[in-house]
């Protein structure tokens, strides 16, 4: 049975932020997000190929950050509470040091109120493209400065910028720039496909 992913459970305001965090901790083998209306979004685990590709992309970002020490890098299981109230988990993300250091220890241990400065979404076989495009627009609208949506199924990369512009590369074999958000960071997604 093919079920379109992700699946949204209509919840409204039945759970507070703390209750949603606890719900996620109690069900830690599942992946959840929450939209700005409080509805819970059940995410599908990725397949092996997409998971490996995601790991390689996150590792490249981590290597760059280890050398530059400009902030914190996060993986796909990290939840961020955006200014609109949604809790989102990008496949890879980066937060500048000043924003990370401004969070209390308690905030760092939950879905802290912080929007990543940079996000990457990698389309898996079960992901609907429209959902990921809307998610990227939501990140930008809430303060993300640069985002990459890597779609290996359509062989495209969508670049989202803070000015709301979207540029589409018609190939995965292109060197992407971290621009002024991630100075000196570059990535060729096509070279990481095995």
């Amino acid at each position: 049975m093919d079920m379109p992913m992700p699946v949204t459970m209509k919840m409204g305001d039945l759970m507070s932020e703390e209750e949603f965090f606890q719900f996620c901790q109690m069900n830690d083998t599942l992946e959840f997000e929450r939209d700005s209306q409080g509805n819970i979004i059940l995410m599908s685990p990725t397949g092996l190929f997409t998971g490996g590709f995601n790991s390689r992309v996150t590792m490249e970002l981590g290597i760059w950050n280890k050398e530059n020490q400009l902030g914190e890098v996060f993986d796909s299981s990290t939840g961020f509470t955006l200014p609109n109230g949604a809790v989102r988990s990008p496949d890879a993300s980066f937060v500048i040091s000043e924003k990370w250091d401004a969070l209390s220890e308690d905030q760092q241990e939950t879905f802290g109120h912080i929007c990543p400065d940079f996000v990457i979404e990698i389309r898996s076989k079960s992901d609907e493209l429209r959902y990921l495009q809307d998610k990227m627009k939501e990140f930008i609208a809430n303060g993300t400065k640069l985002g990459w949506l890597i779609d290996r199924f359509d062989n495209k990369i969508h670049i989202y910028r803070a000015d709301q512009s979207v540029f589409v590369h018609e190939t995965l074999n292109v060197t992407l720039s971290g621009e002024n958000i991630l100075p000196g960071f570059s990535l060729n997604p096509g070279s990481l496909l095995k």
Side-chain angles (χ1 to χ4, degrees):
M1 174 171 89
D2 283 337
M3 178 182 280
M5 292 304 280
V7 173
T8 301
M9 296 184 288
K10 302 293 184 186
M11 299 293 289
D13 60 358
L14 292 177
M15 274 192 229
S16 68
E17 284 184 30
E18 295 78 21
E19 290 167 331
F20 177 64
F21 180 77
Q22 189 61 36
F23 173 78
C24 292
Q25 302 312 297
M26 292 169 56
N27 295 282
D28 62 352
T29 59
L30 301 172
E31 296 283 333
F32 298 106
E33 289 184 331
R34 192 160 86 153
D35 68 20
S36 60
Q37 287 78 45
N39 300 312
I40 295 176
I41 302 160
L42 177 59
M43 310 298 290
S44 171
T46 62
L48 296 174
F49 189 93
T50 301
F53 179 65
N54 187 348
S55 177
R56 290 187 293 277
V57 168
T58 304
M59 184 172 50
E60 292 294 322
L61 183 59
I63 290 168
W64 168 84
N65 193 52
K66 183 177 180 183
E67 293 170 355
N68 293 276
Q69 299 183 14
L70 296 178
E72 295 291 325
V73 171
F74 301 92
D75 69 6
S76 61
S77 55
T78 306
F80 297 92
T81 302
L82 304 180
N84 71 352
V87 176
R88 298 295 186 181
S89 299
D91 288 321
S93 54
F94 172 81
V95 173
I96 61 170
S97 295
E98 297 81 46
K99 285 169 64 175
W100 173 251
D101 293 341
L103 295 175
S104 69
E105 281 186 36
D106 287 342
Q107 291 170 321
Q108 292 175 357
E109 292 293 337
T110 62
F111 303 143
H113 285 252
I114 190 169
C115 185
D117 296 286
F118 171 71
V119 297
I120 300 174
E121 283 290 341
I122 299 170
R123 185 178 178 200
S124 66
K125 194 169 186 177
S126 63
D127 287 332
E128 291 183 3
L129 180 59
R130 170 58 55 200
Y131 174 77
L132 294 177
Q133 290 170 324
D134 290 344
K135 188 174 170 181
M136 294 298 286
K137 290 176 186 172
E138 183 178 41
F139 275 120
I140 294 296
N142 280 274
T144 296
K145 298 177 179 107
L146 179 65
W148 300 342
L149 169 53
I150 302 171
D151 181 359
R152 67 183 180 88
F153 297 99
D154 287 340
N155 199 39
K156 294 181 179 179
I157 301 170
H158 305 248
I159 308 297
Y160 293 79
R161 294 187 175 93
D163 64 4
Q164 309 292 319
S165 67
V166 180
F167 180 82
V168 180
H169 291 282
E170 301 288 337
T171 179
L172 300 183
N173 288 310
V174 62
T175 300
L176 303 174
S177 167
E179 302 178 8
N180 62 343
I181 312 307
L182 307 168
F185 179 63
S186 64
L187 180 79
N188 182 325
S191 71
L192 297 179
L193 292 172
K194 293 184 178 181

